[in-house]
Amino acid sequence: AAPCDIYASGGTPCIAAHGTTRALYSSYEGPLYQVKRASDNAVLDVSPLAAGGVADADAQDNFCASTTCLITVIYDQSGVGNHLTQAPPGYFHGPDVDGYDNLASAIGAPVSLNGRRAYGAFVAPGTGYRNNNAVETAIGDEPQGMYAVLDGTHYNDACCFDYGNAEPSGLDTGNGHMETIYFGSCSWWGSGDGEGPWIMADLENGLFSGLSPSNNPGDPTISHRFTTSIVKGAPNLWAIRGGNAKDGKLSTFFEGERPSVDGYNPMSKEGAILLGIGGDNSNGGQGTFYEGVMTDGYPSAEIEDAVQADIVAAGYAEISLVNGPELTLGSSISFQATTACCTARYLSHTGASINTQVVDSSSSIDLKKQASWTVRAGLGKSECFSFESNNSPGSFIRHANFALALNADDGSKLFAEDATFCPQAGLSGQGSSIRSWSHPTRYFRHFKDVGYISSNGGVHDWDAAGAFTDDATWIVNAGFV
Ligand code: AHR
């Protein structure tokens, strides 16, 4: 039995079942998610290889070859139609056209399930999905359950990487108007033991880790690479549970009465569904979602434990984020532009600015150093890479406001993530494209001889789709020094 078969057997059926990685009913063979490719805006539904099975990742890869793809729809497998699509603006506007949030890259979160490749939804800050017309979700104080399998190493301290029940208006309509899983290290409201990340409940105007609206040491820091997270709520009763999605059982971190703050008892749930954002479309959070459901009714711990056993049996495992020409740690490399205009140009720096400059064997030693980079293990994700300046040891290429910059490593989590890049086979069919780990829709690009992380089309001039694949494809050669 699959998760939603198990929930149904307990009398708490799924009313939303979202999984880009696999079917969540043993008989489900419909579409799991939809991708759109940039080259011609065509869309493809990705379905399981067989009923109840893992997603057909090869279908996506063939469809997206030599271009980029975004996840446009995460289908609801429950049959009631609670699909998730690009979140519209709420109180806070998203970064995409007309205030919509961004869509996730289709390749930001590769994974394998019992040896079969699939893709999760990698939510970079600014990314969000929502359904403001959801049906059969809990309203008011009605009971519901939720679980999500997340990447416990991908989080931040901003508001709010959530999955669950929120306001259809996109507005903060008051305490108790949401009930979602939150994952991350945001401690503006509640917090748990240690530094985080924590599984908390976003109940609107507060992330709750237990009975106290502030700190509850019973809610542990939890950062398994694959983390099962649970939040559920009923009249004056709610719970946080979690565990390692690869192994072992769930623990109950809290189960008890509602917070003793006005507005949370009874609850005023409104029944929209969101992923990756807060109720008011706060979109600073980041995280990775592989699968999750919402149920009608408050599931028993026994049913959830059986769901956890099924998740463990699904065999989630990490696979490489890197492909294409290999890089050697410690080697000195250069990045040669491939756009016809610019093949004499190499990625270089002038002070803190990253640009392209014409460099050759007769260039000055200073310029040669400015265009040469030492390959280091990714500061934010060791299987990817960071590029240290040969001219300014201790300084790395990072992105800041989507421009590339050369900055000294300040030791922060943000710097490490901004300075981590995952090379892949070049988008134009030669060389390499250098994808941002933390914003995987974005790649090293030269635009008017300046370096950016650019998406293939988008709101900034440097995201222009024209020449994107060439501008974002580089030949990695030996360094000049
Ligand atoms: O409850 C935390 C956040 O507060 C909600 O997600 C958002 O709507 C509000 O800003």
Side-chain angles (χ1 to χ4, degrees), residues 358-405:
V358 176
V359 190
D360 61 32
S361 56
S362 65
S363 297
S364 70
I365 183 69
D366 283 348
L367 182 54
K368 287 178 175 176
K369 285 183 172 180
Q370 287 163 19
S372 300
W373 310 93
T374 299
V375 178
R376 302 293 184 201
L379 295 170
K381 182 83 184 171
S382 59
E383 63 158 302
C384 294
F385 297 96
S386 293
F387 303 107
E388 184 175 6
S389 169
N390 284 9
N391 191 46
S392 180
S395 291
F396 293 81
I397 301 175
R398 61 91 59 94
H399 62 82
N401 293 322
F402 309 117
L404 290 174

Short mmCIF file of all heavy atoms in Angstrom, two decimals, residues 358-405:
data_model
loop_
_atom_site.label_atom_id
_atom_site.label_comp_id
_atom_site.label_asym_id
_atom_site.label_seq_id
_atom_site.Cartn_x
_atom_site.Cartn_y
_atom_site.Cartn_z
N VAL A 358 38.93 40.11 -22.63
CA VAL A 358 39.74 39.45 -23.65
C VAL A 358 41.09 39.11 -23.00
O VAL A 358 41.79 39.99 -22.49
CB VAL A 358 39.93 40.36 -24.87
CG1 VAL A 358 40.86 39.69 -25.89
CG2 VAL A 358 38.58 40.68 -25.50
N VAL A 359 41.39 37.82 -22.99
CA VAL A 359 42.62 37.35 -22.34
C VAL A 359 43.31 36.40 -23.31
O VAL A 359 42.65 35.59 -23.97
CB VAL A 359 42.32 36.59 -21.03
CG1 VAL A 359 43.62 36.32 -20.25
CG2 VAL A 359 41.33 37.36 -20.15
N ASP A 360 44.63 36.51 -23.44
CA ASP A 360 45.39 35.51 -24.20
C ASP A 360 46.79 35.39 -23.62
O ASP A 360 47.10 36.03 -22.61
CB ASP A 360 45.38 35.82 -25.70
CG ASP A 360 46.01 37.15 -26.02
OD1 ASP A 360 46.96 37.56 -25.30
OD2 ASP A 360 45.56 37.80 -26.98
N SER A 361 47.61 34.60 -24.28
CA SER A 361 48.92 34.29 -23.70
C SER A 361 49.80 35.53 -23.56
O SER A 361 50.74 35.55 -22.76
CB SER A 361 49.63 33.23 -24.53
OG SER A 361 49.71 33.68 -25.87
N SER A 362 49.47 36.59 -24.31
CA SER A 362 50.28 37.80 -24.19
C SER A 362 49.73 38.79 -23.17
O SER A 362 50.30 39.86 -22.97
CB SER A 362 50.38 38.48 -25.57
OG SER A 362 49.08 38.92 -25.95
N SER A 363 48.63 38.43 -22.51
CA SER A 363 48.04 39.35 -21.51
C SER A 363 48.98 39.50 -20.32
O SER A 363 49.85 38.65 -20.07
CB SER A 363 46.70 38.80 -21.02
OG SER A 363 45.78 38.73 -22.08
N SER A 364 48.75 40.56 -19.56
CA SER A 364 49.57 40.80 -18.37
C SER A 364 49.34 39.68 -17.35
O SER A 364 48.29 39.04 -17.34
CB SER A 364 49.19 42.14 -17.74
OG SER A 364 47.90 42.04 -17.16
N ILE A 365 50.31 39.48 -16.51
CA ILE A 365 50.16 38.46 -15.47
C ILE A 365 48.97 38.78 -14.57
O ILE A 365 48.25 37.88 -14.15
CB ILE A 365 51.48 38.30 -14.65
CG1 ILE A 365 51.33 37.18 -13.61
CG2 ILE A 365 51.90 39.59 -13.99
CD1 ILE A 365 51.25 35.82 -14.20
N ASP A 366 48.72 40.08 -14.33
CA ASP A 366 47.57 40.44 -13.49
C ASP A 366 46.26 40.00 -14.14
O ASP A 366 45.38 39.44 -13.48
CB ASP A 366 47.54 41.95 -13.24
CG ASP A 366 48.56 42.38 -12.20
OD1 ASP A 366 49.12 41.49 -11.53
OD2 ASP A 366 48.80 43.59 -12.09
N LEU A 367 46.12 40.28 -15.43
CA LEU A 367 44.88 39.89 -16.11
C LEU A 367 44.75 38.36 -16.15
O LEU A 367 43.65 37.82 -15.96
CB LEU A 367 44.83 40.49 -17.52
CG LEU A 367 43.56 40.20 -18.32
CD1 LEU A 367 42.30 40.61 -17.56
CD2 LEU A 367 43.62 40.89 -19.68
N LYS A 368 45.86 37.68 -16.39
CA LYS A 368 45.80 36.21 -16.41
C LYS A 368 45.31 35.68 -15.06
O LYS A 368 44.51 34.75 -15.01
CB LYS A 368 47.17 35.63 -16.73
CG LYS A 368 47.57 35.79 -18.19
CD LYS A 368 48.97 35.24 -18.39
CE LYS A 368 49.36 35.25 -19.86
NZ LYS A 368 50.75 34.81 -20.05
N LYS A 369 45.79 36.29 -13.99
CA LYS A 369 45.33 35.86 -12.65
C LYS A 369 43.86 36.18 -12.46
O LYS A 369 43.12 35.42 -11.83
CB LYS A 369 46.14 36.55 -11.55
CG LYS A 369 47.54 36.03 -11.35
CD LYS A 369 48.12 36.81 -10.18
CE LYS A 369 49.45 36.33 -9.70
NZ LYS A 369 49.91 37.16 -8.56
N GLN A 370 43.44 37.33 -12.98
CA GLN A 370 42.03 37.74 -12.81
C GLN A 370 41.08 36.80 -13.55
O GLN A 370 39.89 36.77 -13.25
CB GLN A 370 41.84 39.18 -13.31
CG GLN A 370 42.43 40.22 -12.38
CD GLN A 370 42.60 41.57 -13.04
OE1 GLN A 370 41.98 41.85 -14.07
NE2 GLN A 370 43.44 42.41 -12.47
N ALA A 371 41.60 36.07 -14.52
CA ALA A 371 40.75 35.17 -15.32
C ALA A 371 41.00 33.70 -14.99
O ALA A 371 40.58 32.82 -15.75
CB ALA A 371 41.00 35.43 -16.80
N SER A 372 41.66 33.44 -13.86
CA SER A 372 41.99 32.05 -13.50
C SER A 372 41.41 31.75 -12.12
O SER A 372 41.48 32.58 -11.20
CB SER A 372 43.50 31.85 -13.49
OG SER A 372 44.03 32.13 -14.76
N TRP A 373 40.86 30.56 -11.97
CA TRP A 373 40.07 30.19 -10.79
C TRP A 373 40.49 28.82 -10.31
O TRP A 373 40.68 27.91 -11.12
CB TRP A 373 38.57 30.18 -11.16
CG TRP A 373 38.17 31.43 -11.86
CD1 TRP A 373 38.13 31.65 -13.21
CD2 TRP A 373 37.81 32.67 -11.24
NE1 TRP A 373 37.75 32.95 -13.48
CE2 TRP A 373 37.55 33.60 -12.29
CE3 TRP A 373 37.69 33.08 -9.92
CZ2 TRP A 373 37.17 34.92 -12.03
CZ3 TRP A 373 37.30 34.39 -9.67
CH2 TRP A 373 37.05 35.30 -10.72
N THR A 374 40.59 28.65 -9.02
CA THR A 374 40.92 27.34 -8.46
C THR A 374 39.64 26.63 -8.05
O THR A 374 38.77 27.22 -7.38
CB THR A 374 41.87 27.49 -7.26
OG1 THR A 374 43.07 28.10 -7.73
CG2 THR A 374 42.21 26.12 -6.65
N VAL A 375 39.51 25.39 -8.48
CA VAL A 375 38.30 24.60 -8.22
C VAL A 375 38.33 24.11 -6.77
O VAL A 375 39.28 23.43 -6.36
CB VAL A 375 38.24 23.39 -9.18
CG1 VAL A 375 37.01 22.53 -8.88
CG2 VAL A 375 38.24 23.86 -10.64
N ARG A 376 37.33 24.46 -6.01
CA ARG A 376 37.18 24.01 -4.63
C ARG A 376 35.86 23.25 -4.47
O ARG A 376 34.92 23.47 -5.24
CB ARG A 376 37.15 25.20 -3.66
CG ARG A 376 38.37 26.10 -3.73
CD ARG A 376 39.62 25.39 -3.24
NE ARG A 376 40.76 26.29 -3.22
CZ ARG A 376 42.04 25.88 -3.23
NH1 ARG A 376 42.32 24.57 -3.28
NH2 ARG A 376 43.01 26.76 -3.21
N ALA A 377 35.81 22.39 -3.47
CA ALA A 377 34.54 21.74 -3.14
C ALA A 377 33.51 22.82 -2.80
O ALA A 377 33.85 23.84 -2.17
CB ALA A 377 34.72 20.80 -1.96
N GLY A 378 32.28 22.64 -3.20
CA GLY A 378 31.25 23.66 -2.99
C GLY A 378 31.13 24.02 -1.52
O GLY A 378 30.94 23.13 -0.68
N LEU A 379 31.23 25.31 -1.23
CA LEU A 379 31.20 25.74 0.18
C LEU A 379 29.85 25.42 0.82
O LEU A 379 29.78 25.18 2.02
CB LEU A 379 31.48 27.24 0.27
CG LEU A 379 32.87 27.69 -0.19
CD1 LEU A 379 32.92 29.22 -0.28
CD2 LEU A 379 33.94 27.19 0.77
N GLY A 380 28.79 25.40 0.00
CA GLY A 380 27.46 25.16 0.55
C GLY A 380 26.94 23.76 0.27
O GLY A 380 25.90 23.37 0.82
N LYS A 381 27.65 23.01 -0.59
CA LYS A 381 27.19 21.66 -0.98
C LYS A 381 28.43 21.02 -1.59
O LYS A 381 28.83 21.38 -2.71
CB LYS A 381 26.06 21.80 -2.01
CG LYS A 381 25.45 20.49 -2.46
CD LYS A 381 24.42 20.01 -1.47
CE LYS A 381 23.88 18.67 -1.87
NZ LYS A 381 23.03 18.09 -0.82
N SER A 382 29.04 20.10 -0.87
CA SER A 382 30.41 19.72 -1.22
C SER A 382 30.52 18.98 -2.54
O SER A 382 31.59 18.97 -3.15
CB SER A 382 31.02 18.88 -0.10
OG SER A 382 30.24 17.73 0.11
N GLU A 383 29.45 18.37 -3.03
CA GLU A 383 29.57 17.68 -4.32
C GLU A 383 29.52 18.64 -5.49
O GLU A 383 29.88 18.28 -6.61
CB GLU A 383 28.50 16.62 -4.47
CG GLU A 383 27.13 17.23 -4.48
CD GLU A 383 26.10 16.33 -5.14
OE1 GLU A 383 26.28 15.98 -6.30
OE2 GLU A 383 25.14 16.01 -4.46
N CYS A 384 29.09 19.89 -5.27
CA CYS A 384 29.19 20.92 -6.30
C CYS A 384 30.50 21.68 -6.06
O CYS A 384 31.38 21.18 -5.37
CB CYS A 384 27.95 21.81 -6.27
SG CYS A 384 26.45 20.89 -6.73
N PHE A 385 30.64 22.87 -6.65
CA PHE A 385 31.95 23.50 -6.64
C PHE A 385 31.85 24.98 -6.27
O PHE A 385 30.82 25.62 -6.48
CB PHE A 385 32.61 23.37 -8.02
CG PHE A 385 32.87 21.94 -8.40
CD1 PHE A 385 31.96 21.25 -9.21
CD2 PHE A 385 33.97 21.25 -7.91
CE1 PHE A 385 32.17 19.91 -9.53
CE2 PHE A 385 34.19 19.91 -8.23
CZ PHE A 385 33.30 19.25 -9.05
N SER A 386 32.97 25.49 -5.73
CA SER A 386 33.15 26.93 -5.57
C SER A 386 34.42 27.31 -6.31
O SER A 386 35.32 26.47 -6.50
CB SER A 386 33.24 27.31 -4.10
OG SER A 386 32.00 27.07 -3.45
N PHE A 387 34.50 28.54 -6.75
CA PHE A 387 35.62 28.98 -7.59
C PHE A 387 36.34 30.12 -6.90
O PHE A 387 35.81 31.22 -6.74
CB PHE A 387 35.10 29.37 -8.98
CG PHE A 387 34.35 28.24 -9.64
CD1 PHE A 387 32.96 28.27 -9.76
CD2 PHE A 387 35.03 27.11 -10.09
CE1 PHE A 387 32.27 27.21 -10.35
CE2 PHE A 387 34.34 26.04 -10.66
CZ PHE A 387 32.96 26.09 -10.79
N GLU A 388 37.57 29.81 -6.47
CA GLU A 388 38.39 30.77 -5.72
C GLU A 388 39.28 31.54 -6.68
O GLU A 388 39.89 30.95 -7.59
CB GLU A 388 39.24 30.00 -4.69
CG GLU A 388 40.06 30.90 -3.79
CD GLU A 388 40.80 30.13 -2.71
OE1 GLU A 388 40.79 28.88 -2.72
OE2 GLU A 388 41.41 30.79 -1.85
N SER A 389 39.37 32.83 -6.49
CA SER A 389 40.15 33.67 -7.39
C SER A 389 41.64 33.39 -7.23
O SER A 389 42.15 33.40 -6.12
CB SER A 389 39.88 35.15 -7.06
OG SER A 389 40.82 35.96 -7.75
N ASN A 390 42.34 33.20 -8.35
CA ASN A 390 43.79 33.04 -8.28
C ASN A 390 44.47 34.39 -8.03
O ASN A 390 45.62 34.44 -7.64
CB ASN A 390 44.34 32.44 -9.58
CG ASN A 390 44.06 30.95 -9.64
OD1 ASN A 390 43.32 30.42 -8.80
ND2 ASN A 390 44.64 30.28 -10.62
N ASN A 391 43.74 35.46 -8.24
CA ASN A 391 44.28 36.80 -8.03
C ASN A 391 44.05 37.27 -6.60
O ASN A 391 44.72 38.19 -6.14
CB ASN A 391 43.61 37.76 -9.01
CG ASN A 391 44.28 39.11 -9.07
OD1 ASN A 391 45.51 39.17 -9.15
ND2 ASN A 391 43.50 40.17 -8.99
N SER A 392 43.07 36.68 -5.94
CA SER A 392 42.66 37.15 -4.62
C SER A 392 42.28 35.93 -3.78
O SER A 392 41.10 35.69 -3.53
CB SER A 392 41.48 38.11 -4.80
OG SER A 392 41.03 38.59 -3.55
N PRO A 393 43.28 35.15 -3.36
CA PRO A 393 42.97 33.92 -2.61
C PRO A 393 42.09 34.23 -1.40
O PRO A 393 42.26 35.25 -0.74
CB PRO A 393 44.36 33.41 -2.19
CG PRO A 393 45.28 33.95 -3.24
CD PRO A 393 44.72 35.30 -3.60
N GLY A 394 41.13 33.35 -1.15
CA GLY A 394 40.16 33.58 -0.08
C GLY A 394 38.89 34.23 -0.58
O GLY A 394 37.90 34.30 0.16
N SER A 395 38.92 34.73 -1.81
CA SER A 395 37.70 35.31 -2.42
C SER A 395 37.16 34.36 -3.48
O SER A 395 37.93 33.71 -4.21
CB SER A 395 38.00 36.66 -3.05
OG SER A 395 38.28 37.62 -2.05
N PHE A 396 35.84 34.30 -3.54
CA PHE A 396 35.16 33.33 -4.40
C PHE A 396 34.12 34.04 -5.25
O PHE A 396 33.58 35.08 -4.85
CB PHE A 396 34.43 32.29 -3.52
CG PHE A 396 35.34 31.40 -2.74
CD1 PHE A 396 35.91 31.85 -1.55
CD2 PHE A 396 35.65 30.13 -3.19
CE1 PHE A 396 36.76 31.02 -0.81
CE2 PHE A 396 36.49 29.30 -2.46
CZ PHE A 396 37.05 29.74 -1.27
N ILE A 397 33.82 33.43 -6.40
CA ILE A 397 32.68 33.89 -7.20
C ILE A 397 31.41 33.55 -6.43
O ILE A 397 31.21 32.40 -6.03
CB ILE A 397 32.63 33.20 -8.58
CG1 ILE A 397 33.91 33.46 -9.37
CG2 ILE A 397 31.40 33.68 -9.36
CD1 ILE A 397 33.98 32.69 -10.70
N ARG A 398 30.57 34.56 -6.19
CA ARG A 398 29.27 34.31 -5.57
C ARG A 398 28.25 35.16 -6.32
O ARG A 398 28.61 36.05 -7.08
CB ARG A 398 29.32 34.65 -4.08
CG ARG A 398 29.65 36.12 -3.77
CD ARG A 398 28.46 37.04 -3.64
NE ARG A 398 27.53 36.65 -2.62
CZ ARG A 398 27.56 37.15 -1.37
NH1 ARG A 398 28.49 38.02 -1.03
NH2 ARG A 398 26.63 36.80 -0.51
N HIS A 399 26.95 34.86 -6.08
CA HIS A 399 25.93 35.74 -6.63
C HIS A 399 25.34 36.57 -5.51
O HIS A 399 25.27 36.13 -4.35
CB HIS A 399 24.85 34.96 -7.39
CG HIS A 399 24.06 33.99 -6.56
ND1 HIS A 399 23.00 34.36 -5.77
CD2 HIS A 399 24.21 32.66 -6.38
CE1 HIS A 399 22.51 33.28 -5.17
NE2 HIS A 399 23.23 32.24 -5.51
N ALA A 400 24.98 37.79 -5.86
CA ALA A 400 24.33 38.70 -4.92
C ALA A 400 23.39 39.54 -5.75
O ALA A 400 23.81 40.20 -6.71
CB ALA A 400 25.35 39.58 -4.21
N ASN A 401 22.10 39.48 -5.44
CA ASN A 401 21.08 40.13 -6.27
C ASN A 401 21.21 39.72 -7.73
O ASN A 401 20.98 40.51 -8.64
CB ASN A 401 21.14 41.65 -6.13
CG ASN A 401 20.72 42.08 -4.75
OD1 ASN A 401 19.81 41.50 -4.16
ND2 ASN A 401 21.41 43.08 -4.20
N PHE A 402 21.59 38.46 -7.95
CA PHE A 402 21.65 37.83 -9.27
C PHE A 402 22.80 38.33 -10.14
O PHE A 402 22.96 37.87 -11.26
CB PHE A 402 20.31 37.90 -10.00
CG PHE A 402 19.18 37.41 -9.13
CD1 PHE A 402 18.15 38.25 -8.76
CD2 PHE A 402 19.20 36.12 -8.63
CE1 PHE A 402 17.13 37.80 -7.92
CE2 PHE A 402 18.18 35.66 -7.79
CZ PHE A 402 17.15 36.50 -7.44
N ALA A 403 23.62 39.25 -9.63
CA ALA A 403 24.88 39.57 -10.31
C ALA A 403 25.96 38.67 -9.71
O ALA A 403 25.90 38.32 -8.53
CB ALA A 403 25.24 41.03 -10.12
N LEU A 404 26.94 38.30 -10.53
CA LEU A 404 28.10 37.61 -9.96
C LEU A 404 29.02 38.65 -9.33
O LEU A 404 29.12 39.80 -9.82
CB LEU A 404 28.84 36.83 -11.05
CG LEU A 404 28.09 35.60 -11.59
CD1 LEU A 404 28.86 34.99 -12.75
CD2 LEU A 404 27.86 34.56 -10.49
N ALA A 405 29.67 38.27 -8.26
CA ALA A 405 30.59 39.17 -7.56
C ALA A 405 31.75 38.35 -7.03
O ALA A 405 31.65 37.12 -6.89
CB ALA A 405 29.87 39.88 -6.41
#
